[in-house]
Amino acid sequence: MPLTDADFAAIWLTLKLATLTTALLLVAGTPLAWWLARTAARWKGAVSAVVALPLVLPPTVLGFYLLVAMGPAGPLGRLTQAAGLGTLPFTFAGLVLASCLYSLPFVVQPLQNAFTAIPERLLEAAATLRASPLDTFFHVVVPLARPGFLTAAVLGFAHTVGEFGVVLMIGGNIPEKTRVVSVQIYDHVEALEYAQAHWLAGGMLLFSFVVLLALYTLNPAMRRQT
Amino acid sequence: MQRLISAVLLCLTTMAAHAGDTRIAVAANFSVPAKRIAEAFERASGHKATLVTGATGKFYAQIVNGAPFEVLLAADDETPAKLEKEGHATGTRFTYAIGRLVLWSASPGLVDIDGAVLKRGTFRHIAVANPRLAPYGQAATETLAALGLAEALRPRFVLGENIAQTHQFVASGNAELGFVALAQVAKDGRIGEGSGWIVPAQLHQPIRQDAVLLARGRDNAAAKAFLEWLKGDDARATIRGFGYDLP
């Protein structure tokens, strides 16, 4: 196979980034999605809109503002510098943060839909049986919302693997730190190394198809929709 | 639907028939001077020149695949030569500018005489255009090699996809300093803001930037007029004003 060490390093880095991002988003996205599914607060609409922003914003907008905000003069950059962490662009941590923002709706929205579909009376029944809210969540909500969790995890992971514009703008193309597969493919294409670009791009295509195929065939909720 | 299609077709044909238009692909480092030159050219000739800026390597791939450009102002001399050899350009290429490299920082006082800051290494990131893709990146790595610092500084490289992005990394302060084109930071031939060191030309291969009339511009009067204008005194003064050398 004509893949180089640099290509494998990019693949490994991408998988690491996507795994970490998905894990963080599942942890942070679950309470957010639960709140969005259950609340009657007036600013629910505003929060939903912010969550959905990465769906419609071009990655260049997100990338540009992240570069400025995380830079030495930006609000986030001042915060991280004050905490002794330096600035985040060109670091793996910076990519994780950017990916979490970028893939947020892909995790929160399936979870929110799954939570919304759970009838209120089931939760009330659990409460009358003296289940604590946490008990109810882990023993009633989570099993019922399992397809939602699966969809959220798969979409969050796949979308992060497919991230390009944001990484290009804040990554700085550093081997083993910020050079992910999509950037590596771009480099190959720009350098007119089409053979190597094909191997990686073809692999990406196959990977994405298999992931989505698995999602649509294995997940009962998705099967009903199609 | 059919009416819509014929309306679109009509628009396209009238656009093509409208004489005196030309579309010019411009290397990222030359975008600002090119804009200035095109404005003067339009005023003087009555032709219209539309500029598209980007990376020369990307333009190559687009031109080979039929992109609608009549002229290429490249960041190197290899790409126009290659296009000529492959029949995508006419045999008209000439060097319109010789690029000058500058080590630049957005903060005043950081980059000192002779770029001594490179040896002190008091920075986390140094932005360089990707040497695989950009002639200015190639020149930057040659310069560091000539100074004997290439290996020591490699771990601190952040690579811009082209010279415009490299400049953006430095201008936003995310990289403390970086190698950019003098034209990007020059005001009246000198470094405008921040601090910089104009790299002596003998530290790297000359960055010869060639222009060429592309195959699809062969019969385009505006495209040919633009290339003539580019060789003229007015354009040369503008080019020199941005810190480029001329052949």
Side-chain angles (χ1 to χ4, degrees):
Chain A
M1 197 147 80
L3 289 184
T4 61
D5 284 351
D7 293 331
F8 283 113
I11 292 171
W12 173 238
L13 180 75
T14 307
L15 294 177
K16 214 165 73 175
L17 176 68
T19 307
L20 195 59
T21 301
T22 310
L24 285 172
L25 275 179
L26 284 175
V27 171
T30 301
L32 179 60
W34 179 256
W35 182 81
L36 282 171
R38 296 283 149 190
T39 185
R42 208 179 303 155
W43 31 288
K44 173 186 169 179
V47 176
S48 301
V50 170
V51 169
L53 267 182
L55 286 176
V56 293
L57 279 182
T60 39
V61 172
L62 205 56
F64 175 59
Y65 279 135
L66 278 173
L67 186 69
V68 173
M70 303 197 305
L76 255 175
R78 292 222 182 108
L79 209 70
T80 51
Q81 279 175 312
L85 299 169
T87 50
L88 287 176
F90 320 131
T91 64
F92 182 69
L95 278 204
V96 171
L97 179 69
S99 305
C100 281
L101 287 174
Y102 180 68
S103 296
L104 182 70
F106 289 84
V107 171
V108 170
Q109 291 190 346
L111 289 179
Q112 187 186 342
N113 292 340
F115 293 157
T116 311
I118 297 171
E120 193 73 31
R121 56 187 169 76
L122 282 182
L123 306 180
E124 283 161 4
T128 56
L129 296 170
R130 293 205 200 151
S132 73
L134 269 187
D135 269 346
T136 312
F137 186 80
F138 284 110
H139 295 111
V140 179
V141 173
V142 171
L144 283 173
R146 192 172 296 149
F149 277 101
L150 182 64
T151 307
V154 171
L155 286 185
F157 188 88
H159 193 241
T160 307
V161 168
E163 183 178 1
F164 170 66
V166 178
V167 180
L168 189 75
M169 291 193 74
I170 66 161
N173 203 343
I174 303 170
E176 293 171 26
K177 267 161 109 189
T178 60
R179 185 184 288 166
V180 298
V181 173
S182 57
V183 172
Q184 181 79 351
I185 292 173
Y186 184 73
D187 268 14
H188 284 323
V189 174
E190 292 282 287
L192 311 180
E193 297 164 351
Y194 292 158
Q196 266 183 293
H198 272 309
W199 275 100
L200 277 179
M204 195 79 134
L205 186 68
L206 191 70
F207 164 81
S208 306
F209 176 73
V210 167
V211 163
L212 291 177
L213 183 70
L215 184 66
Y216 281 110
T217 46
L218 297 180
N219 194 333
M222 285 291 213
R223 210 160 42 205
R224 268 202 306 278
Q225 277 170 29
T226 46
Chain B
M1 189 62 196
Q2 262 189 340
R3 209 179 304 163
L4 180 71
I5 292 173
S6 44
V8 169
L9 283 177
L10 187 69
C11 279
L12 288 176
T13 46
T14 46
M15 265 159 62
H18 182 77
D21 273 11
T22 182
R23 219 175 273 134
I24 298 167
V26 181
N29 75 81
F30 200 66
S31 67
V32 183
K35 209 171 144 203
R36 202 72 67 73
I37 292 167
E39 280 163 8
F41 165 71
E42 288 180 349
R43 270 198 306 275
S45 69
H47 291 304
K48 188 167 166 20
T50 306
L51 304 181
V52 179
T53 55
T56 301
K58 192 181 301 160
F59 283 138
Y60 170 82
Q62 290 174 345
I63 289 163
V64 167
N65 288 296
F69 301 123
E70 280 99 26
V71 174
L72 171 68
L73 305 188
D76 62 359
D77 53 359
E78 282 166 27
T79 308
K82 202 166 162 202
L83 285 167
E84 244 177 49
K85 216 170 77 192
E86 294 168 357
H88 300 290
T90 61
T92 53
R93 84 196 133 88
F94 65 96
T95 303
Y96 66 92
I98 297 169
R100 291 303 301 270
L101 190 68
V102 56
L103 180 68
W104 182 67
S105 168
S107 25
L110 183 76
V111 178
D112 38 10
I113 301 164
D114 294 341
V117 59
L118 288 174
K119 290 210 175 70
R120 286 199 309 278
T122 48
F123 50 87
R124 261 179 85 202
H125 297 297
I126 175 165
V128 177
N130 192 333
R132 283 170 72 204
L133 312 177
Y136 282 86
Q138 179 71 41
T141 47
E142 284 168 10
T143 301
L144 288 175
L147 296 172
L149 293 167
E151 283 315 307
L153 291 181
R154 195 170 304 277
R156 300 192 210 176
F157 277 13
V158 289
L159 299 183
E161 183 246 321
N162 59 38
I163 199 70
Q165 200 196 12
T166 309
H167 176 263
Q168 183 197 341
F169 283 160
V170 184
S172 64
N174 282 299
E176 291 94 329
L177 71 177
F179 284 102
V180 301
L182 177 56
Q184 293 176 303
V185 295
K187 260 204 180 104
D188 308 319
R190 307 226 323 267
I191 291 165
E193 285 167 42
S195 54
W197 167 54
I198 300 174
V199 177
Q202 69 271 17
L203 287 182
H204 57 79
Q205 295 288 317
I207 309 169
R208 299 182 76 86
Q209 305 196 187
D210 280 8
V212 72
L213 183 68
L214 299 170
R216 64 189 298 147
R218 200 169 278 138
D219 302 315
N220 186 311
K224 288 189 219 167
F226 181 83
L227 283 173
E228 281 313 309
W229 181 265
L230 192 60
K231 293 177 190 163
D233 289 342
D234 189 281
R236 286 170 72 91
T238 308
I239 293 169
R240 200 174 275 125
F242 276 93
Y244 291 95
D245 287 342
L246 285 166

